[in-house]
Amino acid sequence: EGVEWKKLRFDAATGQSAVLIRFEPGAAYGAHRHPGGEEYLVLEGELEDGGKRYGKGTYVYHPPGSAHRPLSPSGCLIYVTLPEAIGALD
């Protein structure tokens, strides 16, 4: 609820993808793990992730095997690249 995404690129064979994700104010994305890692760039607003806040223009890298539950108190737009599909933890 409150999180929308648009798939820009997806490779069904590898699970690689690039997506835009918009968080409405107060929205959170369910807890998940990144077997292959994750990279994202905050394009608008502010994202809270792992107890840290990342504002516009911030690049974030999560290594393979990392897990998190991002949220955005004020709303944001991020560009995400994934080398393989994520796994839900919730």
Side-chain angles (χ1 to χ4, degrees):
E1 188 72 24
V3 179
E4 298 176 2
W5 56 276
K6 178 178 178 144
K7 192 180 305 183
L8 303 174
R9 178 181 56 83
F10 178 70
D11 182 327
T14 66
Q16 290 182 346
S17 63
V19 295
L20 284 174
I21 302 176
R22 180 174 300 281
F23 288 73
E24 295 299 325
Y29 195 89
H32 58 281
R33 181 173 312 283
H34 293 279
E38 171 190 48
E39 297 177 83
Y40 63 81
L41 179 65
V42 179
L43 302 174
E44 298 174 359
E46 186 175 69
L47 186 73
E48 188 173 307
D49 193 358
K52 297 180 182 175
R53 289 190 174 203
Y54 302 105
K56 182 179 178 178
T58 305
Y59 164 82
V60 179
Y61 171 74
H62 291 293
S66 61
H68 64 144
R69 185 175 191 270
L71 59 105
S72 183
S74 60
C76 69
L77 176 66
I78 61 173
Y79 171 76
V80 181
T81 61
L82 302 162
E84 59 185 87
I86 66 172
L89 295 176
D90 281 344

